[in-house]
Amino acid sequence: GLGASTLASCNDFLDREPITNVTPEAYFTTVDQVGAYVINYYSYLQNSRQQSLYHDKNWRSGMTLNDNNTDNLFSQTGDLDYFAGEKQVPSGKNFQTYTSRARVWNWLLEQILPKEEAGSIQGDKSILSHYIGEAYFFRALAYYQALVRYGDFPIIDEVLPDDQAILKELSQRAPRNEVARFILKDLDTAISRLKDQGFQNNQRINKQTAQLLKSRVALFEATFEKYHKGTGRVPGDDTWPGKDMEYNQGKTFDIAGEINFFLTEAMSAAKAVADHCTLTGNSHQMNPVLGQTSGWNPYFDMFSQEDLSSISEVLLWKQYNLSIGYTHDAAYILSAGGDQLGLSRSYITSFLMKNGLPYYADGSGYKGDLSVSMEKEGRDERLQLFVFGEEDIVRSDPADPAVAKNNEVVILDTIPLVTSSVELQDFTGYRPRKYYNYDYDQYKSNTIICTTGAVVFRAAEAYLNYIEACYEKNGSLDNDAAGYWKAIRRRAGVSEDYELTIANTNLDKEANVVSGTVYGDLAVFSGDQKVDATLYNIRRERRCELMAEGLRYMDLMRWRAMDQMISTPYHIEGFKLWGSMQHWYDNEDGTSQLVYGMDNPKANVSDPAISPYLRPYEKNNNNLAKDGYRWAMAHYLEPYRIQDMDITSGGGSIENSPIYQNPYWPTEPNMPPLK
């Protein structure tokens, strides 16, 4: 596991001698040595945007930030180069990040597989096989991260000699469907070797983790090929740049067949996970009472308790331990303020009412948005549980002086901290409560002492992957898909009647395009077309369930859901500041703490003349996103950097490189997209 004992043994191992300085003959003589090598690279567990899938002591609010710069969540410190139109082709090199990660595993497999066959490694052979399965998993993950960012990518499954001719040949970009098939093949090998969930308290990769990643990869590739076909990003397109490369001559592509293959694989792998695991229960209690620091709702606890090893839904998690200084500070940050981040109004409005109706439907029972707590009333319990409202409990631990003072819970009646200039500012007025913890010991001082576990993979995603893949493949839902969807909604406290939701869905209201500006759910669209109401509601379910788990950006990319922003700006909105809530910021003398005016350097909120809703990027003129988010066709894939091409050109011009540039990106450094 990743707990104290394993970390200690791992550190002992690292203290002996770096792996690169140890000759393979002198090393890898025991199973434990193989396991120690593998666990050294668990930091490679990142999402498709190279963000850690763990809490981290430098990450402040932790995994909450994994959805940053999507239509779900925004932060003051977000990287806006894409959305402000400032992304350029870098001059340096980058794709070696992924080839070097693959090399870690290619090297290990070259050392270990012959020794496994010869039986020369001492220890439990089944554990050795498991650790080798982990290596295949990590190689697959490295290629998946490259696939998401670059599409077509060189497949290298051996350690390369230092030979320019061989380097050039093996830098040939394989068509993306071939890369995806290679990833699935590695994952199949991993699945055949890995032990079931429960191995080392689920702090090491297991069979179900690999099956979930397989379903994720297959669904990603199927939907990317479907929705990007004809853009030059899919092999076989007339404008696909790979068609001009000599090494691709003679290849033909049955993309419809590939899509069907990947959807079938996604369903099969997702079903294996969904049928193996049970969803964590929901007690339907939305807040703790005095003295309850945990145990009041298992669904909430899944993201905020220290030990996740016994939770069926959690396939892989990371443990923290204060005694060895292995901690984070997510609970403290979320208890004190918003960490300069916030959820979007678009995200909040996507949640259904408990009766299954969208908030705007006749008879929904929607109360309005004059306060955040009012907005949450009668809604999907995921909104109630995982987003703070003014009437929610923020302190319930009797050990907390704020609670002990009056022997009663403390209500979070001072949020949102939108006028604060400090680092704890609430950026949109909607503060996440996922990953929060009510144990006073987790945040009693402004120090990094939190030890709540971090969920890395969980089975609910498999339910959602199956539902989406089934509908994309068949145009209808089979009994398994229907059962999984009802289970997800039942746990969320929402009516299981998804047909009622579909019948009452208005895609125009979900998209919320007003006067040439987009405010709503980008996933209403794939390309320039609205999807049907059933598929939209499958996407809605995914959005509501997987908040802050690092999947939203990847989803928007594979659905080609950003096209709206090419011609139409996307304006990020928060809560309804200008209304009854504006008076929360009145001083005793009747003056207001709210200052606005794009030309006012002291402005701390947006102008009510622009919108009654807070627009966090539109407080003043010096913000890159003050005119809304924009997009370019090129942005669906990263540009290959110029040095990458130069290195593999054999010393000639970059036109001689086997690496071709991605669609709509130029081959000159520091230049913007062509389209």
Side-chain angles (χ1 to χ4, degrees):
L2 289 175
S5 60
T6 306
L7 281 166
S9 62
C10 188
N11 288 336
D12 290 344
F13 156 65
L14 291 174
D15 288 341
R16 288 188 198 123
E17 199 169 8
I19 288 170
T20 51
N21 295 343
V22 179
T23 59
E25 292 74 22
Y27 206 67
F28 297 137
T29 57
T30 69
V31 170
D32 286 347
Q33 290 169 342
V34 179
Y37 179 98
V38 175
I39 205 169
N40 190 47
Y41 291 98
Y42 263 60
S43 61
Y44 285 3
L45 282 167
Q46 298 169 330
N47 71 12
S48 55
R49 301 177 76 188
Q50 291 184 290
Q51 293 169 325
S52 174
L53 291 175
Y54 295 146
H55 290 301
D56 184 274
K57 65 175 59 180
N58 299 316
W59 273 64
R60 300 179 53 73
S61 50
M63 302 192 309
T64 305
L65 274 166
N66 271 334
D67 277 351
N68 196 14
N69 287 347
T70 68
D71 55 353
N72 283 3
L73 182 137
F74 310 94
S75 82
Q76 184 78 46
T77 55
D79 180 4
L80 298 178
D81 58 350
Y82 270 134
F83 302 106
E86 298 206 346
K87 178 70 175 179
Q88 298 177 341
V89 178
S91 58
K93 57 184 180 180
N94 189 47
F95 96 100
Q96 279 90 343
T97 300
Y98 303 98
T99 55
S100 64
R101 288 186 178 185
R103 185 184 185 281
V104 164
W105 308 111
N106 290 339
W107 182 83
L108 178 67
L109 292 170
E110 284 188 10
Q111 306 305 320
I112 297 301
L113 291 177
K115 292 187 176 187
E116 181 193 35
E117 190 171 349
S120 61
I121 299 177
Q122 296 175 349
D124 187 323
K125 299 296 185 283
S126 70
I127 302 294
L128 173 62
S129 183
H130 177 94
Y131 291 152
I132 294 171
E134 287 185 273
Y136 280 104
F137 175 95
F138 273 112
R139 187 168 73 177
L141 182 65
Y143 275 103
Y144 173 56
Q145 291 163 342
L147 176 71
V148 171
R149 293 173 74 84
Y150 294 105
D152 306 347
F153 199 79
I155 297 174
I156 303 169
D157 60 0
E158 59 186 313
V159 178
L160 301 182
D162 189 14
D163 183 305
Q164 181 65 36
I166 294 175
L167 174 66
K168 182 173 180 179
E169 180 183 351
L170 291 177
S171 295
Q172 296 172 358
R173 294 180 68 185
R176 60 175 304 129
N177 61 308
E178 293 181 13
V179 180
R181 281 177 174 266
F182 174 78
I183 295 167
L184 297 193
K185 183 169 174 286
D186 263 5
L187 287 171
D188 282 339
T189 303
I191 290 163
S192 72
R193 286 175 169 274
L194 290 166
K195 292 185 176 293
D196 276 321
Q197 183 186 21
F199 179 69
Q200 294 202 9
N201 287 326
N202 301 324
Q203 290 176 67
R204 288 191 80 133
I205 291 152
N206 51 48
K207 187 187 300 290
Q208 284 68 39
T209 304
Q211 288 168 330
L212 179 55
L213 181 60
K214 181 182 177 184
S215 77
R216 182 187 297 179
V217 172
L219 180 60
F220 177 87
E221 187 57 23
T223 49
F224 192 100
E225 290 184 23
K226 175 177 179 177
Y227 293 114
H228 291 262
K229 194 171 187 294
T231 65
R233 291 184 282 268
V234 176
D237 285 354
D238 290 341
T239 54
W240 175 54
K243 71 180 173 58
D244 299 325
M245 306 305 290
E246 185 179 339
Y247 57 79
N248 280 326
Q249 299 313 301
K251 290 185 177 179
T252 57
F253 300 95
D254 172 16
I255 294 303
E258 291 295 278
I259 293 169
N260 190 64
F261 165 76
F262 287 118
L263 290 172
T264 303
E265 292 290 297
M267 289 174 66
S268 173
K271 180 172 168 53
V273 177
D275 291 351
H276 182 272
C277 306
T278 55
L279 295 180
T280 300
N282 176 0
S283 68
H284 308 292
Q285 180 180 339
M286 296 298 101
N287 274 287
V289 298
L290 182 65
Q292 288 182 326
T293 58
S294 63
W296 55 277
N297 192 321
Y299 192 19
F300 188 89
D301 280 349
M302 182 163 58
F303 303 100
S304 65
Q305 68 189 49
E306 291 189 337
D307 187 344
L308 308 178
S309 59
S310 62
I311 301 175
S312 176
E313 185 175 343
V314 177
L315 306 179
L316 182 69
W317 66 289
K318 183 176 184 180
Q319 186 174 31
Y320 294 84
N321 189 309
L322 184 60
S323 66
I324 58 172
Y326 205 63
T327 57
H328 60 85
D329 67 347
Y332 166 73
I333 294 295
L334 293 172
S335 74
D339 197 21
Q340 301 178 76
L341 60 80
L343 298 162
S344 68
R345 176 179 169 231
S346 159
Y347 184 64
I348 301 302
T349 58
S350 68
F351 285 92
L352 300 171
M353 306 299 293
K354 286 172 64 70
N355 58 21
L357 292 173
Y359 78 95
Y360 52 75
D362 290 342
S364 73
Y366 177 59
K367 303 295 185 184
D369 56 9
L370 295 181
S371 74
V372 179
S373 286
M374 176 189 288
E375 204 168 356
K376 296 202 310 174
E377 197 172 329
R379 301 283 286 281
D380 183 324
E381 290 180 359
R382 291 171 294 200
L383 176 62
Q384 298 187 52
L385 273 177
F386 299 125
V387 180
F388 271 118
E390 311 80 30
E391 296 172 21
D392 285 315
I393 307 301
V394 68
R395 300 275 200 274
S396 61
D397 190 344
D400 184 340
V403 174
K405 182 179 179 182
N406 297 307
N407 198 33
E408 59 185 27
V409 295
V410 178
I411 307 294
L412 193 67
D413 59 358
T414 58
I415 73 158
L417 303 176
V418 296
T419 60
S420 174
S421 60
V422 299
E423 58 190 1
L424 300 176
Q425 180 189 74
D426 283 297
F427 196 51
T428 65
Y430 295 116
R431 186 190 304 177
R433 191 163 63 150
K434 209 172 195 177
Y435 309 123
Y436 185 59
N437 187 288
Y438 283 91
D439 178 359
Y440 180 60
D441 283 343
Q442 296 287 327
Y443 53 81
K444 61 187 174 186
S445 59
N446 186 7
T447 54
I448 302 169
I449 58 171
C450 303
T451 52
T452 53
V455 179
V456 185
F457 286 89
R458 67 183 179 102
E461 184 195 343
Y463 286 59
L464 296 161
N465 289 354
Y466 186 94
I467 297 166
E468 184 182 343
C470 178
Y471 190 76
E472 287 282 15
K473 184 173 186 287
N474 303 320
S476 60
L477 299 175
D478 63 20
N479 288 336
D480 286 322
Y484 297 152
W485 201 352
K486 289 177 180 178
I488 290 278
R489 288 172 65 118
R490 183 164 59 246
R491 199 250 303 268
V494 174
S495 162
E496 295 177 27
D497 187 357
Y498 57 78
E499 298 284 3
L500 174 73
T501 306
I502 293 165
N504 284 276
T505 296
N506 181 325
L507 291 174
D508 288 332
K509 288 188 171 160
E510 300 289 352
N512 196 11
V513 181
V514 181
S515 303
T517 298
V518 187
Y519 302 99
D521 190 339
L522 290 170
V524 169
F525 293 91
S526 279
D528 59 0
Q529 300 294 312
K530 289 191 182 81
V531 300
D532 68 55
T534 302
L535 184 55
Y536 170 70
N537 275 289
I538 291 169
R539 293 179 178 184
R540 180 213 301 274
E541 200 70 60
R542 186 176 181 88
R543 186 187 197 192
C544 294
E545 177 64 33
L546 299 175
M547 173 178 92
E549 295 185 47
L551 295 172
R552 181 62 173 179
Y553 188 81
M554 178 200 75
D555 287 344
L556 294 174
M557 298 292 270
R558 66 187 177 87
W559 294 330
R560 197 180 152 199
M562 307 282 210
D563 276 28
Q564 292 302 298
M565 298 191 295
I566 294 173
S567 59
T568 310
Y570 187 96
H571 283 272
I572 290 89
E573 292 194 324
F575 75 149
K576 194 172 187 176
L577 171 64
W578 298 105
S580 59
M581 283 190 273
Q582 74 188 69
H583 298 297
W584 293 350
Y585 307 97
D586 289 345
N587 296 311
E588 290 185 5
D589 63 1
T591 59
S592 177
Q593 301 166 27
L594 304 176
V595 181
Y596 58 86
M598 292 291 277
D599 296 319
N600 188 338
K602 295 184 179 180
N604 54 21
V605 293
S606 55
D607 192 328
I610 300 174
S611 173
Y613 298 95
L614 177 65
R615 293 197 183 172
Y617 289 124
E618 298 175 45
K619 299 173 187 176
N620 49 57
N621 281 316
N622 62 6
N623 193 288
L624 287 174
K626 66 181 175 62
D627 296 319
Y629 274 12
R630 302 304 287 258
W631 193 249
M633 281 290 280
H635 289 167
Y636 284 110
L637 292 173
E638 285 274 318
Y640 273 85
R641 301 188 179 198
I642 305 308
Q643 199 174 339
D644 288 331
M645 299 181 190
D646 194 40
I647 290 170
T648 56
S649 68
S653 68
I654 60 173
E655 282 71 29
N656 294 329
S657 171
I659 299 174
Y660 45 87
Q661 185 56 287
N662 273 326
Y664 314 115
W665 286 108
T667 52
E668 296 83 37
N670 307 315
M671 295 296 289
L674 303 173
K675 183 177 177 181

